[in-house]
Structures are given as C-alpha cells and as structure tokens.
Amino acid sequence: MKQASVITGSSSKKTIDLKNIILEIIIALLVILWIYTGLLKLLDYDETKFQMGRSPFIQHIAGLTAFAIPVFELIIAGLLIFKTTRFIGLLASFFLMVVFTGYIYAMLHYSYYVPCSCGGVLAALSWEDHLIFNALYSLLALIGIFLHNGVKR
C-alpha cells in the first residue's frame, strides 16, 4: 500500500511539474511578445502614430493609443516576470489580446481601409494570419490563467 501511495505522489508531482513547465513557456512567450511589440512601437513611434491615424476606428485618438498601447504592453511584460503579479499579467494579457483580436476582426469586416501599425516580423503577416496569431495568443493567455490557478505555489 505504501508503494502505491508513493507512485501516486510521484505521478501527482510530475503533473504539477508539467503544468509549471507549460505555464512558464506560456509566460515566456507572452513576455517576448509584449516586450517585442511594445519596444518596436515606441522605437518607431512616428510610424506607429501615423499608421494608427489611418485607422478609421481610432484615428481621432491615434496619438494617445500610439503611446499608451506599447507602454501598457511593457507593463504587462513586467507583471508577468514577477510571480507576485503574474496572475494580473495573465489577465491583462488575455484582455489585451482579446481586444486586439476583436479590433482585427472589425477591421477585416467593417473597415474600408486596413492599415498596419505592427512592426518587425508581425508586419509580414496578412491580416487574416494576424487574426489567427492573436486568437492563438488569446488562447495561450487563457490557458495560462487556468494553469496558474491550478498550480499550487
């Protein structure tokens, strides 16, 4: 009987370790995404503001969004790095990715013009590919939220 409980305990530990590994991978992917996109937008602020100004949905607040969005992205990356704020970072990641996904969907289906304010590698994606990419990252953040709640710390 003791042997069975040892095996069960070991299996449970492996499950927790696997959850931790998956959670850490998700967090790393989100941190890389937020730092990459946030820095690119800030480093090329004029182009980001110009492209956002061409969007029919946000052109009237382009100056604000061109600055606020990358700052928010970098703050989220910071929240994800520290274990004490990680859950808030996961929630914020999910929220922002859902907003971005909804924005792209709206641009594709309701806009007469579809500008791109993304930089670097992401600018090479089509808007349809970008929609899929954002939906996948939304799902990753959601999985991260559930894993974070399920992993005992």
PDB file of all heavy atoms in Angstrom, residues 89-126:
ATOM      1  N   GLY A  89      -0.852  39.865 -14.717  1.00  0.00           N
ATOM      2  CA  GLY A  89      -0.272  39.933 -16.053  1.00  0.00           C
ATOM      3  C   GLY A  89      -0.945  38.993 -17.029  1.00  0.00           C
ATOM      4  O   GLY A  89      -1.151  39.331 -18.193  1.00  0.00           O
ATOM      5  N   LEU A  90      -1.306  37.810 -16.562  1.00  0.00           N
ATOM      6  CA  LEU A  90      -2.020  36.857 -17.421  1.00  0.00           C
ATOM      7  C   LEU A  90      -3.410  37.377 -17.769  1.00  0.00           C
ATOM      8  O   LEU A  90      -3.842  37.298 -18.922  1.00  0.00           O
ATOM      9  CB  LEU A  90      -2.120  35.491 -16.742  1.00  0.00           C
ATOM     10  CG  LEU A  90      -0.838  34.668 -16.716  1.00  0.00           C
ATOM     11  CD1 LEU A  90      -0.954  33.504 -15.736  1.00  0.00           C
ATOM     12  CD2 LEU A  90      -0.489  34.171 -18.107  1.00  0.00           C
ATOM     13  N   LEU A  91      -4.106  37.929 -16.775  1.00  0.00           N
ATOM     14  CA  LEU A  91      -5.431  38.516 -17.035  1.00  0.00           C
ATOM     15  C   LEU A  91      -5.325  39.674 -18.019  1.00  0.00           C
ATOM     16  O   LEU A  91      -6.123  39.786 -18.957  1.00  0.00           O
ATOM     17  CB  LEU A  91      -6.082  38.977 -15.733  1.00  0.00           C
ATOM     18  CG  LEU A  91      -6.533  37.898 -14.764  1.00  0.00           C
ATOM     19  CD1 LEU A  91      -6.996  38.528 -13.447  1.00  0.00           C
ATOM     20  CD2 LEU A  91      -7.636  37.042 -15.364  1.00  0.00           C
ATOM     21  N   ALA A  92      -4.348  40.543 -17.810  1.00  0.00           N
ATOM     22  CA  ALA A  92      -4.158  41.696 -18.698  1.00  0.00           C
ATOM     23  C   ALA A  92      -3.772  41.228 -20.101  1.00  0.00           C
ATOM     24  O   ALA A  92      -4.227  41.809 -21.098  1.00  0.00           O
ATOM     25  CB  ALA A  92      -3.095  42.637 -18.127  1.00  0.00           C
ATOM     26  N   SER A  93      -2.950  40.196 -20.196  1.00  0.00           N
ATOM     27  CA  SER A  93      -2.571  39.643 -21.499  1.00  0.00           C
ATOM     28  C   SER A  93      -3.794  39.132 -22.238  1.00  0.00           C
ATOM     29  O   SER A  93      -3.981  39.412 -23.427  1.00  0.00           O
ATOM     30  CB  SER A  93      -1.573  38.489 -21.330  1.00  0.00           C
ATOM     31  OG  SER A  93      -0.349  38.954 -20.828  1.00  0.00           O
ATOM     32  N   PHE A  94      -4.616  38.369 -21.530  1.00  0.00           N
ATOM     33  CA  PHE A  94      -5.827  37.834 -22.144  1.00  0.00           C
ATOM     34  C   PHE A  94      -6.741  38.971 -22.598  1.00  0.00           C
ATOM     35  O   PHE A  94      -7.217  38.976 -23.743  1.00  0.00           O
ATOM     36  CB  PHE A  94      -6.560  36.909 -21.163  1.00  0.00           C
ATOM     37  CG  PHE A  94      -7.856  36.370 -21.711  1.00  0.00           C
ATOM     38  CD1 PHE A  94      -7.851  35.455 -22.753  1.00  0.00           C
ATOM     39  CD2 PHE A  94      -9.070  36.784 -21.196  1.00  0.00           C
ATOM     40  CE1 PHE A  94      -9.037  34.957 -23.265  1.00  0.00           C
ATOM     41  CE2 PHE A  94     -10.259  36.296 -21.697  1.00  0.00           C
ATOM     42  CZ  PHE A  94     -10.250  35.386 -22.737  1.00  0.00           C
ATOM     43  N   PHE A  95      -6.945  39.944 -21.727  1.00  0.00           N
ATOM     44  CA  PHE A  95      -7.816  41.070 -22.064  1.00  0.00           C
ATOM     45  C   PHE A  95      -7.304  41.810 -23.301  1.00  0.00           C
ATOM     46  O   PHE A  95      -8.055  42.055 -24.250  1.00  0.00           O
ATOM     47  CB  PHE A  95      -7.919  42.038 -20.880  1.00  0.00           C
ATOM     48  CG  PHE A  95      -8.621  43.321 -21.213  1.00  0.00           C
ATOM     49  CD1 PHE A  95      -9.999  43.364 -21.332  1.00  0.00           C
ATOM     50  CD2 PHE A  95      -7.888  44.482 -21.421  1.00  0.00           C
ATOM     51  CE1 PHE A  95     -10.656  44.550 -21.651  1.00  0.00           C
ATOM     52  CE2 PHE A  95      -8.540  45.667 -21.741  1.00  0.00           C
ATOM     53  CZ  PHE A  95      -9.918  45.702 -21.855  1.00  0.00           C
ATOM     54  N   LEU A  96      -6.019  42.164 -23.308  1.00  0.00           N
ATOM     55  CA  LEU A  96      -5.470  42.933 -24.426  1.00  0.00           C
ATOM     56  C   LEU A  96      -5.466  42.122 -25.717  1.00  0.00           C
ATOM     57  O   LEU A  96      -5.789  42.654 -26.781  1.00  0.00           O
ATOM     58  CB  LEU A  96      -4.060  43.426 -24.096  1.00  0.00           C
ATOM     59  CG  LEU A  96      -3.505  44.526 -24.997  1.00  0.00           C
ATOM     60  CD1 LEU A  96      -4.430  45.734 -25.045  1.00  0.00           C
ATOM     61  CD2 LEU A  96      -2.127  44.949 -24.534  1.00  0.00           C
ATOM     62  N   MET A  97      -5.160  40.840 -25.638  1.00  0.00           N
ATOM     63  CA  MET A  97      -5.170  40.010 -26.851  1.00  0.00           C
ATOM     64  C   MET A  97      -6.595  39.869 -27.399  1.00  0.00           C
ATOM     65  O   MET A  97      -6.785  39.881 -28.618  1.00  0.00           O
ATOM     66  CB  MET A  97      -4.563  38.636 -26.582  1.00  0.00           C
ATOM     67  CG  MET A  97      -3.057  38.632 -26.405  1.00  0.00           C
ATOM     68  SD  MET A  97      -2.101  39.482 -27.694  1.00  0.00           S
ATOM     69  CE  MET A  97      -2.593  38.600 -29.150  1.00  0.00           C
ATOM     70  N   VAL A  98      -7.587  39.761 -26.529  1.00  0.00           N
ATOM     71  CA  VAL A  98      -8.979  39.680 -26.997  1.00  0.00           C
ATOM     72  C   VAL A  98      -9.380  41.003 -27.646  1.00  0.00           C
ATOM     73  O   VAL A  98     -10.029  41.006 -28.706  1.00  0.00           O
ATOM     74  CB  VAL A  98      -9.930  39.296 -25.840  1.00  0.00           C
ATOM     75  CG1 VAL A  98     -11.386  39.509 -26.218  1.00  0.00           C
ATOM     76  CG2 VAL A  98      -9.701  37.847 -25.426  1.00  0.00           C
ATOM     77  N   VAL A  99      -8.973  42.114 -27.054  1.00  0.00           N
ATOM     78  CA  VAL A  99      -9.266  43.425 -27.652  1.00  0.00           C
ATOM     79  C   VAL A  99      -8.595  43.535 -29.022  1.00  0.00           C
ATOM     80  O   VAL A  99      -9.230  43.953 -29.995  1.00  0.00           O
ATOM     81  CB  VAL A  99      -8.816  44.573 -26.722  1.00  0.00           C
ATOM     82  CG1 VAL A  99      -8.851  45.920 -27.440  1.00  0.00           C
ATOM     83  CG2 VAL A  99      -9.701  44.617 -25.477  1.00  0.00           C
ATOM     84  N   PHE A 100      -7.326  43.172 -29.110  1.00  0.00           N
ATOM     85  CA  PHE A 100      -6.616  43.225 -30.397  1.00  0.00           C
ATOM     86  C   PHE A 100      -7.263  42.297 -31.428  1.00  0.00           C
ATOM     87  O   PHE A 100      -7.395  42.658 -32.597  1.00  0.00           O
ATOM     88  CB  PHE A 100      -5.142  42.838 -30.231  1.00  0.00           C
ATOM     89  CG  PHE A 100      -4.281  43.869 -29.561  1.00  0.00           C
ATOM     90  CD1 PHE A 100      -3.032  43.525 -29.100  1.00  0.00           C
ATOM     91  CD2 PHE A 100      -4.702  45.176 -29.390  1.00  0.00           C
ATOM     92  CE1 PHE A 100      -2.210  44.465 -28.490  1.00  0.00           C
ATOM     93  CE2 PHE A 100      -3.900  46.128 -28.775  1.00  0.00           C
ATOM     94  CZ  PHE A 100      -2.651  45.764 -28.321  1.00  0.00           C
ATOM     95  N   THR A 101      -7.664  41.112 -30.996  1.00  0.00           N
ATOM     96  CA  THR A 101      -8.310  40.162 -31.899  1.00  0.00           C
ATOM     97  C   THR A 101      -9.630  40.732 -32.403  1.00  0.00           C
ATOM     98  O   THR A 101      -9.934  40.663 -33.601  1.00  0.00           O
ATOM     99  CB  THR A 101      -8.522  38.798 -31.201  1.00  0.00           C
ATOM    100  OG1 THR A 101      -7.254  38.332 -30.729  1.00  0.00           O
ATOM    101  CG2 THR A 101      -9.113  37.770 -32.151  1.00  0.00           C
ATOM    102  N   GLY A 102     -10.409  41.308 -31.498  1.00  0.00           N
ATOM    103  CA  GLY A 102     -11.676  41.936 -31.889  1.00  0.00           C
ATOM    104  C   GLY A 102     -11.459  43.100 -32.836  1.00  0.00           C
ATOM    105  O   GLY A 102     -12.207  43.285 -33.806  1.00  0.00           O
ATOM    106  N   TYR A 103     -10.418  43.889 -32.573  1.00  0.00           N
ATOM    107  CA  TYR A 103     -10.086  45.030 -33.434  1.00  0.00           C
ATOM    108  C   TYR A 103      -9.746  44.545 -34.846  1.00  0.00           C
ATOM    109  O   TYR A 103     -10.230  45.094 -35.840  1.00  0.00           O
ATOM    110  CB  TYR A 103      -8.918  45.814 -32.827  1.00  0.00           C
ATOM    111  CG  TYR A 103      -8.372  46.889 -33.732  1.00  0.00           C
ATOM    112  CD1 TYR A 103      -9.039  48.101 -33.881  1.00  0.00           C
ATOM    113  CD2 TYR A 103      -7.191  46.689 -34.447  1.00  0.00           C
ATOM    114  CE1 TYR A 103      -8.534  49.086 -34.713  1.00  0.00           C
ATOM    115  CE2 TYR A 103      -6.686  47.671 -35.276  1.00  0.00           C
ATOM    116  CZ  TYR A 103      -7.359  48.867 -35.415  1.00  0.00           C
ATOM    117  OH  TYR A 103      -6.867  49.836 -36.245  1.00  0.00           O
ATOM    118  N   ILE A 104      -8.923  43.519 -34.932  1.00  0.00           N
ATOM    119  CA  ILE A 104      -8.543  42.996 -36.250  1.00  0.00           C
ATOM    120  C   ILE A 104      -9.768  42.435 -36.975  1.00  0.00           C
ATOM    121  O   ILE A 104      -9.953  42.669 -38.174  1.00  0.00           O
ATOM    122  CB  ILE A 104      -7.427  41.934 -36.130  1.00  0.00           C
ATOM    123  CG1 ILE A 104      -6.129  42.613 -35.698  1.00  0.00           C
ATOM    124  CG2 ILE A 104      -7.224  41.183 -37.441  1.00  0.00           C
ATOM    125  CD1 ILE A 104      -5.014  41.652 -35.353  1.00  0.00           C
ATOM    126  N   TYR A 105     -10.603  41.722 -36.248  1.00  0.00           N
ATOM    127  CA  TYR A 105     -11.829  41.195 -36.846  1.00  0.00           C
ATOM    128  C   TYR A 105     -12.686  42.346 -37.389  1.00  0.00           C
ATOM    129  O   TYR A 105     -13.179  42.280 -38.525  1.00  0.00           O
ATOM    130  CB  TYR A 105     -12.620  40.376 -35.827  1.00  0.00           C
ATOM    131  CG  TYR A 105     -13.900  39.818 -36.406  1.00  0.00           C
ATOM    132  CD1 TYR A 105     -13.887  38.623 -37.109  1.00  0.00           C
ATOM    133  CD2 TYR A 105     -15.105  40.506 -36.279  1.00  0.00           C
ATOM    134  CE1 TYR A 105     -15.051  38.112 -37.667  1.00  0.00           C
ATOM    135  CE2 TYR A 105     -16.266  40.013 -36.836  1.00  0.00           C
ATOM    136  CZ  TYR A 105     -16.245  38.822 -37.531  1.00  0.00           C
ATOM    137  OH  TYR A 105     -17.400  38.338 -38.079  1.00  0.00           O
ATOM    138  N   ALA A 106     -12.854  43.390 -36.597  1.00  0.00           N
ATOM    139  CA  ALA A 106     -13.652  44.549 -37.029  1.00  0.00           C
ATOM    140  C   ALA A 106     -13.024  45.227 -38.239  1.00  0.00           C
ATOM    141  O   ALA A 106     -13.731  45.613 -39.180  1.00  0.00           O
ATOM    142  CB  ALA A 106     -13.803  45.539 -35.873  1.00  0.00           C
ATOM    143  N   MET A 107     -11.704  45.352 -38.228  1.00  0.00           N
ATOM    144  CA  MET A 107     -11.019  45.977 -39.360  1.00  0.00           C
ATOM    145  C   MET A 107     -11.233  45.159 -40.634  1.00  0.00           C
ATOM    146  O   MET A 107     -11.478  45.719 -41.705  1.00  0.00           O
ATOM    147  CB  MET A 107      -9.519  46.114 -39.080  1.00  0.00           C
ATOM    148  CG  MET A 107      -9.178  47.160 -38.045  1.00  0.00           C
ATOM    149  SD  MET A 107      -9.571  48.840 -38.538  1.00  0.00           S
ATOM    150  CE  MET A 107      -8.342  49.109 -39.790  1.00  0.00           C
ATOM    151  N   LEU A 108     -11.145  43.859 -40.516  1.00  0.00           N
ATOM    152  CA  LEU A 108     -11.309  42.994 -41.688  1.00  0.00           C
ATOM    153  C   LEU A 108     -12.737  43.002 -42.230  1.00  0.00           C
ATOM    154  O   LEU A 108     -12.935  42.876 -43.437  1.00  0.00           O
ATOM    155  CB  LEU A 108     -10.913  41.554 -41.345  1.00  0.00           C
ATOM    156  CG  LEU A 108      -9.424  41.278 -41.267  1.00  0.00           C
ATOM    157  CD1 LEU A 108      -9.161  39.887 -40.705  1.00  0.00           C
ATOM    158  CD2 LEU A 108      -8.765  41.433 -42.631  1.00  0.00           C
ATOM    159  N   HIS A 109     -13.710  43.143 -41.355  1.00  0.00           N
ATOM    160  CA  HIS A 109     -15.098  43.002 -41.779  1.00  0.00           C
ATOM    161  C   HIS A 109     -15.866  44.312 -41.925  1.00  0.00           C
ATOM    162  O   HIS A 109     -16.903  44.331 -42.598  1.00  0.00           O
ATOM    163  CB  HIS A 109     -15.837  42.067 -40.817  1.00  0.00           C
ATOM    164  CG  HIS A 109     -15.369  40.654 -40.928  1.00  0.00           C
ATOM    165  ND1 HIS A 109     -14.302  40.163 -40.198  1.00  0.00           N
ATOM    166  CD2 HIS A 109     -15.783  39.633 -41.708  1.00  0.00           C
ATOM    167  CE1 HIS A 109     -14.108  38.910 -40.521  1.00  0.00           C
ATOM    168  NE2 HIS A 109     -14.976  38.551 -41.430  1.00  0.00           N
ATOM    169  N   TYR A 110     -15.383  45.394 -41.308  1.00  0.00           N
ATOM    170  CA  TYR A 110     -16.177  46.624 -41.305  1.00  0.00           C
ATOM    171  C   TYR A 110     -15.409  47.875 -41.717  1.00  0.00           C
ATOM    172  O   TYR A 110     -15.981  48.956 -41.744  1.00  0.00           O
ATOM    173  CB  TYR A 110     -16.788  46.855 -39.911  1.00  0.00           C
ATOM    174  CG  TYR A 110     -17.606  45.683 -39.445  1.00  0.00           C
ATOM    175  CD1 TYR A 110     -17.154  44.866 -38.411  1.00  0.00           C
ATOM    176  CD2 TYR A 110     -18.817  45.370 -40.051  1.00  0.00           C
ATOM    177  CE1 TYR A 110     -17.897  43.778 -37.983  1.00  0.00           C
ATOM    178  CE2 TYR A 110     -19.564  44.279 -39.634  1.00  0.00           C
ATOM    179  CZ  TYR A 110     -19.101  43.487 -38.595  1.00  0.00           C
ATOM    180  OH  TYR A 110     -19.835  42.417 -38.189  1.00  0.00           O
ATOM    181  N   SER A 111     -14.147  47.743 -42.034  1.00  0.00           N
ATOM    182  CA  SER A 111     -13.351  48.915 -42.375  1.00  0.00           C
ATOM    183  C   SER A 111     -13.163  49.028 -43.889  1.00  0.00           C
ATOM    184  O   SER A 111     -12.979  48.031 -44.575  1.00  0.00           O
ATOM    185  CB  SER A 111     -11.985  48.838 -41.694  1.00  0.00           C
ATOM    186  OG  SER A 111     -11.187  49.934 -42.072  1.00  0.00           O
ATOM    187  N   TYR A 112     -13.170  50.242 -44.353  1.00  0.00           N
ATOM    188  CA  TYR A 112     -12.907  50.495 -45.770  1.00  0.00           C
ATOM    189  C   TYR A 112     -11.409  50.507 -46.052  1.00  0.00           C
ATOM    190  O   TYR A 112     -10.975  50.418 -47.188  1.00  0.00           O
ATOM    191  CB  TYR A 112     -13.535  51.826 -46.198  1.00  0.00           C
ATOM    192  CG  TYR A 112     -13.054  53.006 -45.381  1.00  0.00           C
ATOM    193  CD1 TYR A 112     -11.905  53.701 -45.739  1.00  0.00           C
ATOM    194  CD2 TYR A 112     -13.744  53.426 -44.243  1.00  0.00           C
ATOM    195  CE1 TYR A 112     -11.449  54.767 -44.984  1.00  0.00           C
ATOM    196  CE2 TYR A 112     -13.296  54.496 -43.496  1.00  0.00           C
ATOM    197  CZ  TYR A 112     -12.149  55.163 -43.869  1.00  0.00           C
ATOM    198  OH  TYR A 112     -11.708  56.212 -43.116  1.00  0.00           O
ATOM    199  N   TYR A 113     -10.591  50.650 -45.003  1.00  0.00           N
ATOM    200  CA  TYR A 113      -9.140  50.691 -45.160  1.00  0.00           C
ATOM    201  C   TYR A 113      -8.517  49.927 -43.999  1.00  0.00           C
ATOM    202  O   TYR A 113      -8.950  50.054 -42.862  1.00  0.00           O
ATOM    203  CB  TYR A 113      -8.634  52.140 -45.173  1.00  0.00           C
ATOM    204  CG  TYR A 113      -7.137  52.234 -45.273  1.00  0.00           C
ATOM    205  CD1 TYR A 113      -6.476  51.907 -46.445  1.00  0.00           C
ATOM    206  CD2 TYR A 113      -6.375  52.621 -44.180  1.00  0.00           C
ATOM    207  CE1 TYR A 113      -5.099  51.971 -46.528  1.00  0.00           C
ATOM    208  CE2 TYR A 113      -4.997  52.692 -44.257  1.00  0.00           C
ATOM    209  CZ  TYR A 113      -4.368  52.366 -45.439  1.00  0.00           C
ATOM    210  OH  TYR A 113      -3.009  52.417 -45.519  1.00  0.00           O
ATOM    211  N   VAL A 114      -7.488  49.135 -44.275  1.00  0.00           N
ATOM    212  CA  VAL A 114      -6.863  48.314 -43.251  1.00  0.00           C
ATOM    213  C   VAL A 114      -5.370  48.631 -43.172  1.00  0.00           C
ATOM    214  O   VAL A 114      -4.563  47.994 -43.844  1.00  0.00           O
ATOM    215  CB  VAL A 114      -7.089  46.809 -43.547  1.00  0.00           C
ATOM    216  CG1 VAL A 114      -6.547  45.956 -42.417  1.00  0.00           C
ATOM    217  CG2 VAL A 114      -8.559  46.509 -43.778  1.00  0.00           C
ATOM    218  N   PRO A 115      -4.993  49.637 -42.343  1.00  0.00           N
ATOM    219  CA  PRO A 115      -3.572  49.965 -42.190  1.00  0.00           C
ATOM    220  C   PRO A 115      -2.902  48.983 -41.232  1.00  0.00           C
ATOM    221  O   PRO A 115      -3.573  48.275 -40.486  1.00  0.00           O
ATOM    222  CB  PRO A 115      -3.610  51.361 -41.567  1.00  0.00           C
ATOM    223  CG  PRO A 115      -4.868  51.343 -40.754  1.00  0.00           C
ATOM    224  CD  PRO A 115      -5.841  50.497 -41.531  1.00  0.00           C
ATOM    225  N   CYS A 116      -1.593  48.958 -41.225  1.00  0.00           N
ATOM    226  CA  CYS A 116      -0.879  48.079 -40.300  1.00  0.00           C
ATOM    227  C   CYS A 116       0.072  48.904 -39.452  1.00  0.00           C
ATOM    228  O   CYS A 116       0.970  49.557 -39.977  1.00  0.00           O
ATOM    229  CB  CYS A 116      -0.094  47.009 -41.053  1.00  0.00           C
ATOM    230  SG  CYS A 116       0.725  45.860 -39.922  1.00  0.00           S
ATOM    231  N   SER A 117      -0.142  48.873 -38.147  1.00  0.00           N
ATOM    232  CA  SER A 117       0.752  49.600 -37.247  1.00  0.00           C
ATOM    233  C   SER A 117       1.707  48.645 -36.542  1.00  0.00           C
ATOM    234  O   SER A 117       2.359  49.014 -35.584  1.00  0.00           O
ATOM    235  CB  SER A 117      -0.071  50.381 -36.214  1.00  0.00           C
ATOM    236  OG  SER A 117      -0.885  49.504 -35.469  1.00  0.00           O
ATOM    237  N   CYS A 118       1.779  47.421 -37.021  1.00  0.00           N
ATOM    238  CA  CYS A 118       2.697  46.445 -36.440  1.00  0.00           C
ATOM    239  C   CYS A 118       4.069  46.616 -37.072  1.00  0.00           C
ATOM    240  O   CYS A 118       4.189  47.056 -38.198  1.00  0.00           O
ATOM    241  CB  CYS A 118       2.200  45.023 -36.699  1.00  0.00           C
ATOM    242  SG  CYS A 118       0.573  44.730 -36.036  1.00  0.00           S
ATOM    243  N   GLY A 119       5.051  46.211 -36.344  1.00  0.00           N
ATOM    244  CA  GLY A 119       6.399  46.304 -36.875  1.00  0.00           C
ATOM    245  C   GLY A 119       7.072  44.957 -36.873  1.00  0.00           C
ATOM    246  O   GLY A 119       6.538  43.967 -36.384  1.00  0.00           O
ATOM    247  N   GLY A 120       8.261  44.923 -37.428  1.00  0.00           N
ATOM    248  CA  GLY A 120       9.070  43.716 -37.390  1.00  0.00           C
ATOM    249  C   GLY A 120       8.436  42.529 -38.089  1.00  0.00           C
ATOM    250  O   GLY A 120       7.810  42.658 -39.137  1.00  0.00           O
ATOM    251  N   VAL A 121       8.579  41.378 -37.490  1.00  0.00           N
ATOM    252  CA  VAL A 121       8.106  40.120 -38.055  1.00  0.00           C
ATOM    253  C   VAL A 121       6.586  40.129 -38.225  1.00  0.00           C
ATOM    254  O   VAL A 121       6.067  39.621 -39.217  1.00  0.00           O
ATOM    255  CB  VAL A 121       8.530  38.936 -37.150  1.00  0.00           C
ATOM    256  CG1 VAL A 121       7.980  37.626 -37.654  1.00  0.00           C
ATOM    257  CG2 VAL A 121      10.036  38.878 -37.028  1.00  0.00           C
ATOM    258  N   LEU A 122       5.878  40.716 -37.285  1.00  0.00           N
ATOM    259  CA  LEU A 122       4.414  40.703 -37.330  1.00  0.00           C
ATOM    260  C   LEU A 122       3.860  41.492 -38.517  1.00  0.00           C
ATOM    261  O   LEU A 122       2.768  41.204 -38.993  1.00  0.00           O
ATOM    262  CB  LEU A 122       3.828  41.232 -36.018  1.00  0.00           C
ATOM    263  CG  LEU A 122       4.168  40.411 -34.773  1.00  0.00           C
ATOM    264  CD1 LEU A 122       3.587  41.053 -33.527  1.00  0.00           C
ATOM    265  CD2 LEU A 122       3.708  38.982 -34.907  1.00  0.00           C
ATOM    266  N   ALA A 123       4.601  42.465 -38.992  1.00  0.00           N
ATOM    267  CA  ALA A 123       4.148  43.246 -40.147  1.00  0.00           C
ATOM    268  C   ALA A 123       4.105  42.385 -41.412  1.00  0.00           C
ATOM    269  O   ALA A 123       3.381  42.710 -42.355  1.00  0.00           O
ATOM    270  CB  ALA A 123       5.053  44.452 -40.361  1.00  0.00           C
ATOM    271  N   ALA A 124       4.850  41.295 -41.420  1.00  0.00           N
ATOM    272  CA  ALA A 124       4.873  40.408 -42.590  1.00  0.00           C
ATOM    273  C   ALA A 124       3.632  39.514 -42.663  1.00  0.00           C
ATOM    274  O   ALA A 124       3.366  38.925 -43.701  1.00  0.00           O
ATOM    275  CB  ALA A 124       6.130  39.545 -42.560  1.00  0.00           C
ATOM    276  N   LEU A 125       2.873  39.427 -41.577  1.00  0.00           N
ATOM    277  CA  LEU A 125       1.667  38.601 -41.576  1.00  0.00           C
ATOM    278  C   LEU A 125       0.530  39.312 -42.309  1.00  0.00           C
ATOM    279  O   LEU A 125       0.403  40.527 -42.227  1.00  0.00           O
ATOM    280  CB  LEU A 125       1.201  38.325 -40.136  1.00  0.00           C
ATOM    281  CG  LEU A 125       2.115  37.522 -39.224  1.00  0.00           C
ATOM    282  CD1 LEU A 125       1.507  37.436 -37.818  1.00  0.00           C
ATOM    283  CD2 LEU A 125       2.346  36.128 -39.772  1.00  0.00           C
ATOM    284  N   SER A 126      -0.286  38.532 -42.985  1.00  0.00           N
ATOM    285  CA  SER A 126      -1.512  39.103 -43.546  1.00  0.00           C
ATOM    286  C   SER A 126      -2.456  39.397 -42.378  1.00  0.00           C
ATOM    287  O   SER A 126      -2.259  38.897 -41.266  1.00  0.00           O
ATOM    288  CB  SER A 126      -2.168  38.111 -44.511  1.00  0.00           C
ATOM    289  OG  SER A 126      -2.738  37.024 -43.792  1.00  0.00           O
TER     290      SER A 126
END
